[in-house]
Amino acid sequence: MIAEAGHYALVLALALALIQSTVPILGARWGDHALMNVARSTALAQLLFVGASFTALTMLHVVSDFSVVNVFENSHSMKPLLYKITGVWGNHEGSMLLWVLILALFGGLVAAFGNNLPLSLRAHVLAVQGWIAAAFYLFILVTSNPFLRIASPPIEGRDLNPVLQDIGLAVHPPMLYLGYVGFSISFSFAVAALIEGRIDAAWARWVRPWTLVAWIFLTLGIAMGSYWAYYELGWGGWWFWDPVENASLMPWLAGTALLHSAVVMEKRNALKVWTILLSILTFSLSLLGTFLVRSGVLTSVHAFATDPARGVFILLILCLFIGGSLSLYAFRASTLKQGGLFAPISREGALVLNNLFLTSACATVFIGTLYPLALEVLTGDKISVGAPFFNLTFGPLFVPLLLAVPFGPLLAWKRGDLLGAAQRLTVAGIAALIAMAVLWAWLHGGATLAPLAIGLAVFVVAGAITDLVERIGLLRVPFATALARARGLPRATWGTAFAHAGLGIALIGIVCETTWNSEYIGTMKPNDVATVAGYQLKLGDITQRQGPNFREMIAQFTVVRDGATVQVMTPSKRNFTTRGASTTEAALLTRGASQLYVSLGDTNAEGAIAVRIYHKPLVLLIWWGPVIMAFGGLLSLSDRRLRVGAPKPARAARALQPAE
């Protein structure tokens, strides 16, 4: 009954989505407030039913009901409870159900907390959300029903993909989907504004928090996915330019540009065309990522589905929403007023430059990702576009962008002083030059570009600090005054500084890891010693252990540095008998921001085991940077200026005191 109830709840959610997508539109056309308010109630009810459907599928996985196809193909009775729960979305059908749950969640949040929106705008926004939801409910019910039954239920399931039996599955996909799907709100706001023909600074202020929420989660989702691949796949890589990785990077780049464009629109009522277009393109790229994962056109660790019918259905959804929204944009774009004027050298100009570089980088990744697919369709030839292409095209676009990042916050609105901004960045420039000089002296003529990249990263971080120092007047006014000014700074200002600094910190980690990593790859027997970056690793006992649903081989490495034992590392290799597959569980030794990384391979006929040992200097900065960026986004999100319609309550007037 649980499966049938979950399926029925999904059907009811589809019915509600169809109501939500039509009735509020009619209400807005007729000026009927009651019909427009239907959007709010249907969005909340839709969230309730989708939540019930998702809960039903989770219960089926927890109790190991192998009469359901989805549970049979992706679960096992001996699997730990955590992986039974995360396995709900570790497959195509379940992940799509999570997708629509998050879509309904965002729609419900707009319905619950959007009382400050004009009624007609809220009705249009939720109606567009209803269109998207209805399309994906149909997709799930027609091609990807997670509640299908098996006539003769088996005793045991086929187990989940071993690579997915990791804590990363509990964090990475939900965060990534919160980012992907979260941009649907920006898309709905853009389409609603185009339908209404009303686009102004207030609209930008309404759309910014939703965009910021999606951007925060997408940033964390990409970072978590990178770290998961780093420690789980066994060769210590953190980014592979995999097409599906690129599919998450593209909406992040477009979303970052959208955030900056919305700031200009809010402050100066300018860049309306940019902002609307970026709102459409960002969610369109999210839909593209969904298509690449679900269509079967790519061979990837991320690819869930290979059914052509599913691919065709999603392609139709893609064409409908992307084509429809861009057509509406083309129809309405000529009627949009540009708003405030500004000089090229200004904060608006800096943000436009930022958008140009970000969209160009996004276009580069888009071409590199889809060109092989297009070529295969047109000519039948199969080619691959790998890291060399992206490094040579993406990298040069980011260098001038990073150089410009510290200047933007220091420029005035409307008309700025580039020379004055450069003078205020003198200390940051000196810090960058010192960093480059120290590295060059240390390397003695080694890698040439690495010191330049480190200097650029230091310049970005120091530039973010300079912006804060200039705003509070540190070293120019008494410390108490500077501290009071710091407390009074808008949180969005702090958020900008943290986000920019996080970008520089991530760059330092990338350069250090790719330039100065050390490695040992070979075979070892017990009592053999390998030396990497000043560490001696002695292989001890190799033992076997029986896990809940796997057999595990564990090796013990005693790590010695400068004659002192640092730690015993225990990498392992797990064999999942049900799936007939194995995974590598790397061992990590963290020293500051650097890591020693050990993973196991296969055992040869002589009894020696293949071993990979890496020393990765400052590698953790690669992920600390995005975390700091997301924290900056969270600070900006908490800024009271983004809470339209929720002004700070006025202080009660002090009562008159009687004269003594």
Side-chain angles (χ1 to χ4, degrees), residues 23 184 527:
V23 174
S184 67
N527 297 320

Side-chain angles (χ1 to χ4, degrees), residues 270-293:
L271 301 189
K272 293 180 180 180
V273 175
W274 261 104
T275 308
I276 294 294
L277 182 60
L278 286 170
S279 298
I280 294 171
L281 289 181
T282 303
F283 183 61
S284 298
L285 291 169
S286 297
L287 289 178
L288 177 65
T290 303
F291 169 74
L292 291 175
V293 176

Side-chain angles (χ1 to χ4, degrees), residues 75 215 229 326 600:
S75 192
W215 181 86
L326 290 177
L600 303 179

Side-chain angles (χ1 to χ4, degrees), residues 9 40 49 98 163 173 211 243 311 415 417 424 438-439 446 454 486 523 526 580 622 660:
R40 184 174 184 273
F49 283 112
L98 177 64
V163 174
T211 305
R415 185 179 297 275
D417 181 5
R424 290 192 290 274
V438 170
L439 277 173
I454 294 291
T523 57
I622 296 174
E660 295 182 357

Side-chain angles (χ1 to χ4, degrees), residues 212-213 215-216 495-496 498-499 628-638 642:
L212 199 51
V213 168
W215 181 86
I216 291 169
T496 300
F498 272 96
I628 293 171
M629 293 167 69
F631 177 70
L634 193 62
L635 284 176
S636 296
L637 190 63
S638 66
L642 294 183

Side-chain angles (χ1 to χ4, degrees), residues 164-249:
L164 302 179
Q165 296 190 39
D166 186 86
I167 189 66
L169 186 62
V171 182
H172 170 56
M175 280 192 171
L176 204 64
Y177 284 8
L178 284 165
Y180 267 164
V181 184
F183 284 123
S184 67
I185 298 296
S186 306
F187 174 84
S188 297
F189 267 97
V191 173
L194 289 171
I195 293 172
E196 287 198 332
R198 180 195 176 198
I199 304 170
D200 52 20
W203 177 90
R205 182 168 292 190
W206 288 323
V207 81
R208 267 186 68 200
W210 300 105
T211 305
L212 199 51
V213 168
W215 181 86
I216 291 169
F217 280 114
L218 187 57
T219 301
L220 293 174
I222 293 173
M224 182 61 216
S226 170
Y227 189 66
W228 185 14
Y230 165 75
Y231 73 77
E232 180 64 26
L233 297 183
W235 56 77
W238 48 271
W239 192 263
F240 306 97
W241 291 110
D242 181 271
V244 182
E245 289 177 338
N246 297 346
S248 67
L249 180 62

Side-chain angles (χ1 to χ4, degrees), residues 543-548 550-554 572-574:
T543 57
Q544 300 287 333
R545 184 179 75 89
Q546 182 62 49
F550 59 85
R551 184 96 177 150
E552 188 173 27
M553 178 181 69
I554 305 173
S572 66
K573 195 172 182 68
R574 295 176 177 177

Side-chain angles (χ1 to χ4, degrees), residues 365-586:
V365 178
F366 180 86
I367 293 169
T369 303
L370 295 187
Y371 176 73
L373 298 178
L375 187 66
E376 185 177 356
V377 170
L378 295 174
T379 66
D381 298 333
K382 291 188 177 182
I383 66 166
S384 62
V385 176
F389 168 81
F390 292 105
N391 293 338
L392 290 172
T393 54
F394 186 84
L397 287 171
F398 249 68
V399 170
L401 174 62
L402 291 170
L403 279 172
V405 162
F407 286 89
L410 295 173
L411 293 172
W413 293 102
K414 199 171 181 179
R415 185 179 297 275
D417 181 5
L418 185 60
L419 181 59
Q423 290 174 342
R424 290 192 290 274
L425 288 170
T426 301
V427 175
I430 292 172
L433 291 173
I434 291 173
M436 286 189 288
V438 170
L439 277 173
W440 257 313
W442 178 55
L443 293 172
H444 302 290
T448 305
L449 294 179
L452 292 173
I454 294 291
L456 179 59
V458 170
F459 181 63
V460 172
V461 176
I465 298 171
T466 300
D467 179 41
L468 294 176
V469 169
E470 288 292 325
R471 289 178 182 272
I472 66 177
L474 190 66
L475 306 179
R476 295 200 311 267
V477 299
F479 182 75
T481 305
L483 191 61
R485 289 181 179 178
R487 292 197 193 99
L489 279 181
R491 291 182 185 176
T493 302
W494 287 98
T496 300
F498 272 96
H500 290 176
L503 189 62
I505 289 169
L507 179 59
I508 293 173
I510 291 170
V511 175
C512 290
E513 193 278 332
T514 54
T515 306
W516 296 298
N517 69 85
S518 308
E519 66 180 34
Y520 170 88
I521 301 175
T523 57
M524 297 179 68
K525 293 182 178 180
N527 297 320
D528 286 351
V529 178
T531 301
V532 177
Y535 292 92
Q536 291 82 44
L537 291 91
K538 182 179 180 180
L539 176 60
D541 296 334
I542 300 176
T543 57
Q544 300 287 333
R545 184 179 75 89
Q546 182 62 49
N549 59 333
F550 59 85
R551 184 96 177 150
E552 188 173 27
M553 178 181 69
I554 305 173
Q556 291 189 343
F557 287 85
T558 303
V559 183
V560 178
R561 186 177 178 92
D562 299 328
T565 300
V566 179
Q567 188 175 312
V568 176
M569 301 179 69
T570 55
S572 66
K573 195 172 182 68
R574 295 176 177 177
N575 183 38
F576 294 78
T577 54
T578 304
R579 280 272 181 169
S582 60
T583 63
T584 298
E585 302 296 319

